[in-house]
Amino acid sequence: GQQLNQSPQSMFIQEGEDVSMNCTSSSIFNTWLWYKQDPGEGPVLLIALYKAGELTSNGRLTAQFGITRKDSFLNISASIPSDVGIYFCAGLSPGGTSYGKLTFGQGTILTVHP
Amino acid sequence: KAGVTQTPRYLIKTRGQQVTLSCSPISGHRSVSWYQQTPGQGLQFLFEYFSETQRNKGNFPGRFSGRQFSNSRSEMNVSTLELGDSALYLCASSRPEARETQYFGPGTRLLVL
């Protein structure tokens, strides 16, 4: 089945630093989504990417949909303590019987030291 | 606009019992998907419902089932619970014209003893 490889698995950074994480897949996706999950809560949608090559920002967050449609990255600039959490990438397959099903990466655990 | 709501938030059951979880989507969202999240397997897709019909299904045994009502609310049921069914069960809803953009509820934490 499809798999998403998300890296790094965890990051320990100082407040104010920039963060970068990425996801790669052996299969192509039509849509890439980035979510953040706090302990005991459901994932919150941060950014959605719909076209290959698309670069989208949401405040201090920037994400890009890779040209090959097999990868995506998320950057967080000037990190703050509330950025702490687990970040997930998710991809939506092109179509057919799997359409509507999201495949998730393993997550990146982000810790920000004040 | 209210977000996705799930009830109950926490549940403790014993092996062999069955459980029913409920999900109310965002108003206007008609697609509801269910996911299981565990530390070992991560987030895995269970099934998706639209207009009271299951449109998509993941690789879970038949003990996992679901349904959707005419008001788009959805329930999932797990019968003959096993220890390995302990997980956070997440529901996500999306608009019909944008099924790829899914918004998650807070989840139901199920513990099977």
Side-chain angles (χ1 to χ4, degrees):
Chain A
Q2 294 175 325
Q3 287 187 323
L4 289 184
N5 296 310
Q6 185 173 348
S7 64
Q9 282 189 312
S10 61
M11 302 183 72
F12 299 84
I13 62 170
Q14 293 289 329
E15 183 177 359
E17 289 184 354
D18 297 343
V19 171
S20 184
M21 58 191 79
N22 69 85
C23 272
T24 59
S25 171
S26 57
S27 306
I28 62 172
F29 287 106
N30 272 1
T31 300
W32 283 93
L33 305 169
W34 285 92
Y35 289 89
K36 176 177 182 259
Q37 186 175 28
D38 292 327
E41 299 296 327
V44 173
L45 181 63
L46 299 174
I47 290 182
L49 303 158
Y50 303 105
K51 294 192 302 186
E54 179 181 355
L55 183 71
T56 297
S57 293
N58 178 9
R60 294 179 295 106
L61 308 178
T62 302
Q64 183 157 31
F65 191 150
I67 292 290
T68 64
R69 297 169 66 191
K70 293 183 179 182
D71 62 312
S72 177
F73 73 75
L74 174 71
N75 287 342
I76 305 173
S77 63
S79 59
I80 58 178
S82 62
D83 290 334
V84 165
I86 305 177
Y87 291 79
F88 291 96
C89 62
L92 190 81
S93 54
T97 57
S98 292
Y99 188 67
K101 166 189 169 183
L102 290 179
T103 301
F104 282 84
Q106 305 96 319
T108 295
I109 302 171
L110 178 63
T111 303
V112 180
H113 294 286
Chain B
K1 185 185 272 192
V4 177
T5 58
Q6 292 187 247
T7 56
R9 290 293 310 274
Y10 305 93
L11 208 46
I12 300 176
K13 292 285 187 179
T14 56
R15 278 181 299 175
Q17 287 186 311
Q18 76 164 18
V19 66
T20 299
L21 313 180
S22 180
C23 170
S24 293
I26 294 170
S27 177
H29 288 198
R30 292 166 55 196
S31 293
V32 173
S33 298
W34 289 89
Y35 294 82
Q36 181 196 64
Q37 186 176 28
T38 60
Q41 300 298 316
L43 276 148
Q44 293 188 291
F45 173 79
L46 281 157
F47 26 66
E48 180 200 10
Y49 285 87
F50 175 74
S51 290
E52 303 177 63
T53 301
Q54 187 181 88
R55 193 158 55 175
N56 219 334
K57 190 178 190 306
N59 297 323
F60 279 82
R63 299 184 298 107
F64 292 81
S65 63
R67 60 177 176 168
Q68 187 180 34
F69 301 95
S70 58
N71 62 357
S72 296
R73 190 177 69 86
S74 177
E75 289 180 347
M76 70 162 281
N77 185 77
V78 188
S79 62
T80 319
L81 285 165
E82 300 176 359
L83 295 180
D85 296 333
S86 295
L88 181 67
Y89 289 88
L90 293 159
C91 163
S93 74
S94 60
R95 294 178 293 141
E97 67 276 20
R99 286 168 65 194
E100 67 280 357
T101 310
Q102 299 184 15
Y103 298 87
F104 283 83
T108 293
R109 173 78 60 185
L110 172 65
L111 176 62
V112 182
L113 301 176

